[in-house]
Amino acid sequence: MFVFSNIYCLSLLLWLEERYESIYMRHPGFQKVTFFSSVIAVREEVSSLDERFVFGAGLDLDLLGIEVDDNTLIPGLAVTSSRAKPLAAWMNGLEVCSVEADTGRGGLILSVGISTRYVYATYKNTPTTTSEAEAWEAAKKACGGLHFLAIHEDLDSDDCVGFWLLLNLPPPPI
């Protein structure tokens, strides 16, 4: 079994941070702002899950009694990876419930199933990122907890290889 020592993990994190600032942020398609999509665009993406081979899941908003105006912007997380299909396939095997911002630790938490949570991503905890995370959580709350997770193969692609329409629900009072 191969184990990274702390120096290798630290070096890797520093390298990734440097790469993020020197390469990814300079890409013409890079968007630093929080990702929002209109209800119409989200409905189109959910309906396309059945029409083309895309991993993911939608929600029947009518069945859940959730009414959202067509002009409402739904907050979401867009992930881009050269390994988008394997990532989406792995996530398709999980019962993805929600994505939450952990402003205290500077990370995004992926909730799956009834009691499993993963640190899905981390970010540098600064006043700006904390403000963006709080605004994202407020936007989700304004939509009744509705949000989405989209996985793309590259920054220039409008097509998703994975799309999940998600809903934050409070834990059951047990």
Side-chain angles (χ1 to χ4, degrees):
M1 183 169 129
F2 183 76
V3 178
F4 281 110
S5 71
N6 286 344
I7 190 69
Y8 292 121
C9 289
L10 180 58
S11 296
L12 179 61
L13 287 173
L14 291 173
W15 177 78
L16 288 171
E17 182 177 329
E18 185 272 330
R19 186 166 173 82
Y20 176 79
E21 293 173 3
S22 65
I23 295 174
Y24 300 132
M25 289 180 68
R26 291 192 169 103
H27 188 281
F30 179 80
Q31 296 178 347
K32 190 171 183 173
V33 297
T34 305
F35 193 78
F36 289 89
S37 188
S38 70
V39 171
I40 293 170
V42 168
R43 285 187 179 144
E44 287 175 9
E45 200 62 48
V46 169
S47 69
S48 74
L49 290 173
D50 296 331
E51 297 169 7
R52 54 190 172 100
F53 187 69
V54 175
F55 296 106
L59 295 172
D60 187 338
L61 299 180
D62 294 330
L63 180 66
L64 293 170
I66 298 173
E67 292 183 25
V68 184
D69 183 79
D70 285 345
N71 297 322
T72 301
L73 293 178
I74 298 176
L77 175 65
V79 176
T80 302
S81 171
S82 61
R83 300 202 24 93
K85 285 182 183 174
L87 175 62
W90 170 74
M91 290 184 58
N92 206 51
L94 305 172
E95 291 183 40
V96 180
C97 300
S98 66
V99 178
E100 301 167 40
D102 182 347
T103 57
R105 293 188 178 136
L108 297 175
I109 307 301
L110 179 70
S111 295
V112 299
I114 193 144
S115 63
T116 304
R117 295 166 49 97
Y118 296 107
V119 176
Y120 194 66
T122 59
Y123 55 86
K124 192 173 191 176
N125 212 351
T126 66
T128 302
T129 58
T130 298
S131 176
E132 286 182 13
E134 289 171 348
W136 191 69
E137 286 295 329
K140 286 190 337 187
K141 189 174 184 179
C143 290
L146 196 60
H147 59 293
F148 66 89
L149 172 63
I151 300 179
H152 299 268
E153 289 183 300
D154 63 62
L155 291 172
D156 298 323
S157 174
D158 289 334
D159 295 330
C160 296
V161 296
F163 186 87
W164 289 263
L165 187 56
L166 307 170
L167 185 63
N168 270 37
L169 293 174
I174 300 177

